[in-house]
Amino acid sequence: MSFYLGSPAEKIVAIADTGSDLIWIQCKPCDECYHQKAPLFDPQASSTYKVVSCNTDSCSALPRGSCGSASQCEYNYKYGDGSFVDGFLSSETISFDTTGGRRVQFPKSLFGCTHSSKGTFDENDAGLVGLGGGQLSLIRQLGSAIDNKFSYCLPSDQTNAKSSLNFGSSAVISGSNAVTTPLISGTPDTFYFLNLEQISVAGQGAVAVKPASPGRAGNIIIDSGTTLTLIDDDTLQSVESKVKSSVDLKQVTDPSGDFSLCFDVSGAGGNVKFPDITFHFSGGAPVVLHQSNAFVHSAQNTLCLALISSGRIGINIFGNVAQQNFNIGNAIQNPTAADNFYSEITPGNFEYLMSFYLGSPAEKIVAIADTGSDLIWIQCKPCDECYHQTVPLFDPQASSTYKVISCNADSCSALPQGSCGSASQCEYNYKYGDGSFVDGFLSSETISFDTTGGRRVQFPKSLFGCTHSSKGTFDENDAGLVGLGGGQLSLIRQLGSAIDNKFSYCLPSDQTNAKSRLNFGSSAVISGSNAVTTPLISGAPDTFYFLNLEQISVAGQGAVAVKPASPGRAGNIIIDSGTTLTLIDDDTLQSVESKVKNSVNLKQVTDPSGDFSLCFDVSGAGGNVKFPDITFHFSGGAPVVLHQSNAFVESAQNILCLALISSDAIGVNIFGNVAQQNFNIGYDLGAMTLTLAPTDCANM
């Protein structure tokens, strides 16, 4: 594949490989390298070239990396055929041609500047472009810029034809002859796993393919960088048997020793006829391989079945011969293309809890869902000075994928309160508005979610806090907290393009044991005649989802104008699932209280807890307590009607209070989770909009 590298830009032609991640190019000086025809890339001649430090997050993403003499991130990459490349992880401007004749640039793209190499590379290759699913691949780096979609069409290797590798909307494949199968998340995340169910030959009874082991990903990967197709021995022998019964030619031994089933075609002239071989992928996706995809010339007049055993490497591969003359589109926006993934939501003690899985092997975690903070943190062993929790603490030592982040890493600097531990570990000291705190080490781990299809989707190397000290108002049912805010360390920002920057939740009443879901991606889009949308406003800190609240009206009385944000500031209220009550400034609160008093014909009483400023005695009202609707008018013409259960709460027996309190002590207005109950609330961080639709969350 071709692209441009550096400033000024040099055209590069390199191997397109969906089976690896690192982009690497041979660079000057390269004394111990394979010979290439084109000039070596000269990093010293580019004004945008930069070597990456070995203390960065990107360096830690290398499967085999080390620290060079000048703290440069050095890689040592080996491939399945024994080839290797060594060099320095670097950043550079990568550019592509467009259909309009311009070039589009992607500055600070990560690539490897190779200074030592050996193997089966060709002199026409200047390097290799990893198109896999891992963090360093071209596809993951382009990410949302290409909507996580790409496609390619490999012309026959018997021609000099050219084709295109397309990105984004131009990579969408459709039509009556197109078939679709799920991409399955697995380990390593480099590979695009598929599930191959059967292989049939010339319409004969299909051969069942050995399924993936329990708990593993699909049973085959698709790899443009591997030539032949590899399948397990049992399946291969069954397929070979069916091919033999379909081909009326003399069998011969392969002179190269690579293939186990070959035929002598010397006497067949131009009438060689070989059977179609159909690969049946899950989701009802039959892929018919004609002769040119399923049989290759090993020598003159010797044609061989282009399937070989995967036993030596232990993984099935759908190779590039089989892929020729198919338009193949990979949409990795949702890591399980056929499924939607979600988190279960349950009411807690004045909070809402969400479930997910952490570690390898995966442990189910239930933690507070908080749109008002960023850090994901879980209580970890040892945790001697921590609040009590009923479930066992997460044991990082029992997980094969746990790793502590260095205090020199970029992600460590994203912590608002961080320090460097005794072993150069990134230590956090997190405080919340109610005085609660947690201390621990920023770490990376595999986070997983359930899907509607019954599988789990994994997100390796997700950042979270392993808490070893805590104190505050946390409940024993909480194993920690999931930050769903807008900052760099939040779950939402980490999932990012994988969920198209969309999520939604529906909070059931805290007076029930009902469960609901926090949805991600396309399943988080909310629409309908009762839905209203208001802008999300960027502000500081970027954790908070700011809104603009224009007015509050009570029972249709004249609306109270809400104090606007100060000049140059963001919106005047934030939406926060981690705060129970709604907080507004004193002036607005007093005006709203005045209108509520006029609408409620009950005796006012003092709140025994001291939290609320307007309460009523409902002891004599029986079951006929009627309180007014309170409407929050957000900008963009978005009225949100709060009925009694959203606007009034029971402070004590027979005492019902207005669930609005003053924000003056903390200086920020908050739309809390009582007000949010029984609304389906969708966040679109790409469009920067918030959509709310009244819904019975218990019946979603």
Side-chain angles (χ1 to χ4, degrees), residues 326-444:
F326 283 92
N327 200 3
I328 299 174
N330 288 18
I332 56 175
Q333 177 176 330
N334 186 337
T336 51
D339 302 329
N340 291 313
F341 65 97
Y342 64 90
S343 173
E344 189 175 76
I345 291 282
T346 55
N349 185 18
F350 303 111
E351 62 205 9
Y352 284 85
L353 307 178
M354 61 179 283
S355 64
F356 62 100
Y357 301 88
L358 188 67
S360 304
E363 291 188 23
K364 187 171 184 178
I365 302 291
V366 177
I368 300 167
D370 184 15
T371 61
S373 66
D374 294 324
L375 184 66
I376 307 164
W377 61 263
I378 303 301
Q379 293 202 126
C380 293
K381 289 183 177 178
C383 206
D384 300 327
E385 296 183 6
C386 288
Y387 70 86
H388 173 68
Q389 68 178 55
T390 53
V391 298
L393 297 168
F394 178 72
D395 185 359
Q397 302 305 315
S399 174
S400 62
T401 46
Y402 175 82
K403 184 178 179 183
V404 178
I405 299 297
S406 163
C407 54
N408 295 317
D410 294 341
S411 52
C412 188
S413 63
L415 288 168
Q417 299 99 22
S419 58
C420 201
S422 57
S424 295
Q425 299 166 307
C426 180
E427 191 169 350
Y428 60 86
N429 317 98
Y430 234 67
K431 292 182 174 64
Y432 294 89
D434 64 358
S436 303
F437 75 86
V438 291
D439 294 345
F441 297 114
L442 187 65
S443 310
S444 68

Side-chain angles (χ1 to χ4, degrees), residues 1-178:
M1 62 176 283
S2 64
F3 62 101
Y4 301 89
L5 187 68
S7 305
E10 291 187 24
K11 187 170 184 178
I12 303 290
V13 177
I15 300 167
D17 185 14
T18 61
S20 65
D21 294 325
L22 184 67
I23 308 163
W24 62 262
I25 304 299
Q26 292 202 125
C27 294
K28 290 183 177 179
C30 204
D31 299 327
E32 297 182 6
C33 287
Y34 69 86
H35 173 68
Q36 70 175 53
K37 285 183 177 179
L40 297 169
F41 178 71
D42 185 359
Q44 302 305 315
S46 173
S47 62
T48 46
Y49 176 82
K50 185 179 180 183
V51 177
V52 171
S53 165
C54 54
N55 294 319
T56 59
D57 292 343
S58 49
C59 187
S60 65
L62 287 167
R64 292 171 292 274
S66 58
C67 202
S69 58
S71 294
Q72 297 168 308
C73 180
E74 191 169 351
Y75 59 87
N76 317 97
Y77 236 67
K78 292 181 174 65
Y79 294 90
D81 63 359
S83 302
F84 74 86
V85 291
D86 294 344
F88 297 112
L89 188 65
S90 310
S91 68
E92 184 55 282
T93 296
I94 290 179
S95 311
F96 294 93
D97 288 322
T98 71
T99 53
R102 302 182 182 90
R103 286 188 195 154
V104 58
Q105 294 183 330
F106 295 91
K108 299 182 181 178
S109 297
L110 296 168
F111 86 109
C113 217
T114 289
H115 297 286
S116 175
S117 65
K118 188 177 181 180
T120 58
F121 307 110
D122 187 81
E123 62 181 8
N124 296 308
D125 313 331
L128 181 145
V129 180
L131 301 171
Q135 182 180 334
L136 293 175
S137 81
L138 174 67
I139 301 307
R140 286 298 188 191
Q141 289 192 69
L142 297 183
S144 58
I146 61 170
D147 198 20
N148 293 286
K149 297 180 177 75
F150 71 103
S151 70
Y152 54 81
C153 196
L154 305 180
S156 169
D157 55 6
Q158 303 303 307
T159 71
N160 292 319
K162 295 181 179 180
S163 185
S164 294
L165 190 155
N166 292 312
F167 302 103
S169 58
S170 61
V172 176
I173 297 169
S174 60
S176 59
N177 63 344

Side-chain angles (χ1 to χ4, degrees), residues 509-657:
S509 169
D510 56 6
Q511 303 303 307
T512 70
N513 293 318
K515 295 181 179 180
S516 186
R517 285 183 177 178
L518 190 154
N519 290 312
F520 302 100
S522 58
S523 60
V525 176
I526 297 170
S527 59
S529 58
N530 64 344
V532 298
T533 298
T534 187
L536 288 170
I537 303 166
S538 295
D542 57 0
T543 300
F544 296 144
Y545 297 119
F546 290 94
L547 309 172
N548 187 41
L549 178 61
E550 297 176 338
Q551 297 175 323
I552 301 175
S553 58
V554 179
Q557 301 176 47
V560 175
V562 180
K563 184 179 179 181
S566 305
R569 297 292 298 275
N572 61 353
I573 193 168
I574 65 170
I575 181 168
D576 182 7
S577 65
T579 296
T580 306
L581 301 174
T582 291
L583 285 70
I584 53 175
D585 67 271
D586 267 341
D587 291 344
T588 305
L589 178 61
Q590 290 175 22
S591 297
V592 169
E593 287 179 343
S594 176
K595 292 182 179 296
V596 170
K597 292 172 186 176
N598 293 337
S599 301
V600 177
N601 191 25
L602 290 171
K603 179 184 177 184
Q604 293 178 42
V605 292
T606 300
D607 171 31
S609 70
D611 295 326
F612 303 98
S613 52
L614 181 59
C615 298
F616 299 92
D617 180 357
V618 297
S619 58
N624 298 316
V625 177
K626 289 286 184 183
F627 283 81
D629 290 343
I630 298 179
T631 303
F632 278 50
H633 301 267
F634 293 99
S635 61
V640 176
V641 180
L642 305 183
H643 299 307
Q644 180 174 320
S645 60
N646 295 99
F648 296 87
V649 294
E650 192 173 52
S651 174
Q653 187 174 4
N654 291 325
I655 296 178
L656 211 60
C657 301

Side-chain angles (χ1 to χ4, degrees), residues 270-333:
N271 297 315
V272 178
K273 289 287 185 183
F274 282 80
D276 289 344
I277 298 179
T278 303
F279 278 49
H280 300 268
F281 293 99
S282 61
V287 176
V288 181
L289 304 183
H290 300 306
Q291 180 174 317
S292 61
N293 296 99
F295 297 86
V296 294
H297 277 280
S298 174
Q300 188 175 6
N301 293 323
T302 301
L303 206 63
C304 302
L305 178 66
L307 275 65
I308 62 174
S309 172
S310 63
R312 183 175 63 84
I313 66 170
I315 187 169
N316 295 342
I317 301 177
F318 193 64
N320 65 39
V321 169
Q323 297 177 52
Q324 289 172 13
N325 292 313
F326 283 92
N327 200 3
I328 299 174
N330 288 18
I332 56 175
Q333 177 176 330

